Amino acid sequence: VQLVESGGGLVQPGGSLRLSCAASGPIRSINTMNWYRQAPGKERELLAAISSGGYTNYADSVKGRFTISRDNAKNTVYLQMNSLKPEDTAVYYCNADVKTHYSTNYRAYWGQGTQVTVSS
C-alpha cells in the first residue's frame, strides 16, 4: 500500500492550498484517514481526521481554516487550507488505517510528506 501526497508549495500569508493524498495497492477498505504536520524542531501534530462515514475532527489550531474531505471511490483524502499563516509552514503527512486483501486487521500507513511554506 502506498500513500502519495501532492499539492504542497509556497503560498503567501492569507492564501490557500489544497493537499491530496491518494492510497493505492491491494486495498480492501480504509477506515480513518488523517492529516498531520511537522514543523522543524517540533513534534508531529494531528490536524484533522475523517472517518469512513465522513465524520470529521480538527485540531484547535486549524479549526475554521482547514477542511478535510475524502473520496472513497478514489481512496483519496484532501485537505483544503485557507487563511494560511506563516506558522502553518511544515511538512504535511497523510495517514490512513488500511485493511488489505491479505490482512485481517487494519494497519496504519503513511505518505512521504509534502512541504508547505507560507511566506511573503
Side-chain angles (χ1 to χ4, degrees):
V1 175
Q2 280 192 316
L3 272 63
V4 179
E5 298 108 335
S6 61
L10 173 64
V11 63
Q12 291 188 342
S16 298
L17 280 176
R18 188 191 194 211
L19 305 183
S20 300
C21 172
S24 62
I27 296 169
R28 182 187 300 177
S29 66
I30 301 177
N31 197 356
T32 303
M33 303 184 84
N34 310 288
W35 283 100
Y36 287 76
R37 70 184 177 192
Q38 187 166 22
K42 294 190 176 182
E43 293 187 354
R44 192 168 293 192
E45 173 189 16
L46 175 61
L47 301 177
I50 185 166
S51 71
S52 57
Y55 290 101
T56 59
N57 201 13
Y58 296 92
D60 288 342
S61 58
V62 303
K63 198 173 294 184
R65 299 189 299 124
F66 291 9
T67 302
I68 189 171
S69 61
R70 64 191 283 173
D71 184 333
N72 290 331
K74 296 182 179 179
N75 291 330
T76 299
V77 62
Y78 306 96
L79 187 68
Q80 177 66 43
M81 305 186 294
N82 299 328
S83 302
L84 283 162
K85 306 173 182 179
E87 51 263 43
D88 293 318
T89 296
V91 178
Y92 284 68
Y93 299 89
C94 67
N95 160 276
D97 293 329
V98 179
K99 183 185 290 185
T100 71
H101 291 297
Y102 311 110
S103 64
T104 56
N105 298 315
Y106 286 93
R107 207 203 97 175
Y109 291 85
W110 290 87
Q112 81 288 351
T114 185
Q115 177 70 45
V116 172
T117 302
V118 185
S119 175
S120 55

